[in-house]
Amino acid sequence: MKIILTQEVSGLGAPGDIVEVKNGYGRNYLLPQGFAISWTKGAEKQVTVIKRARSAREIRDLGHANEVKDQLEGLKVNLKARAGDGGRLFGSVTPAEIVDAVKAAGGPTLDRRRLELPGHIKSTGSYPVRIKLHPEVTAKFDLNVVQG
């Protein structure tokens, strides 16, 4: 079965890639989850739109990835979250909230799917966060979760 990926699927490809998969995997998982669309000549024209959006969002090269890494590692990222007595949060901190906090601290726009968290963040404090910017570059910064 020939499909066009609309999101990154580990081990398969990136958005805009045209890949061949087994019928069951495509029909029962990729298509219903919205990770892919069926391949047609009309849909293939959408690939250019998907790839253009990906290139605007993507880190250009190794040098650019190192620039972003230096910028991230120099940031003080604070995230205000609602918390009860003892610093326990109401819910947990999501990757989307972390990306917004980095942007608010003056950092670059990041892809939330590339964040690597140390686990579920359910209390106030400082947490190490890693983000894979490039296959060869991983940036680390501290996220300070405060009661707010």
Side-chain angles (χ1 to χ4, degrees):
M1 169 179 231
K2 213 173 190 182
I3 58 168
I4 301 170
L5 296 176
T6 57
Q7 294 182 18
E8 186 171 338
V9 178
S10 61
L12 197 56
D17 290 349
I18 299 171
V19 293
E20 187 80 29
V21 296
K22 300 240 179 189
N23 289 339
Y25 183 50
R27 190 174 45 246
N28 297 327
Y29 178 68
L30 295 173
L31 294 175
Q33 294 291 328
F35 294 141
I37 56 174
S38 296
W39 178 87
T40 61
K41 287 186 181 184
E44 191 168 355
K45 292 176 185 173
Q46 290 179 324
V47 169
T48 58
V49 175
I50 293 171
K51 285 190 177 183
R52 192 175 316 131
R54 181 176 78 184
S55 67
R57 198 175 53 235
E58 196 173 72
I59 303 294
R60 289 188 295 278
D61 58 4
L62 186 60
H64 185 240
N66 283 323
E67 288 175 22
V68 172
K69 177 183 177 182
D70 292 340
Q71 185 181 3
L72 277 174
E73 290 179 346
L75 279 181
K76 299 254 186 228
V77 181
N78 290 321
L79 177 66
K80 289 185 178 180
R82 289 186 47 213
D85 295 334
R88 187 164 168 83
L89 300 181
F90 298 127
S92 64
V93 175
T94 64
E97 292 172 329
I98 295 171
V99 168
D100 292 340
V102 168
K103 194 167 185 177
T109 303
L110 302 173
D111 186 0
R112 64 179 169 76
R113 294 173 294 218
R114 297 190 184 276
L115 283 176
E116 297 172 7
L117 300 176
H120 295 287
I121 300 175
K122 294 185 174 249
S123 61
T124 57
S126 183
Y127 296 91
V129 178
R130 296 167 32 115
I131 182 161
K132 192 161 181 122
L133 298 169
H134 188 269
E136 301 172 18
V137 179
T138 302
K140 298 174 191 136
F141 63 92
D142 285 327
L143 173 70
N144 192 22
V145 180
V146 294
Q147 188 171 354

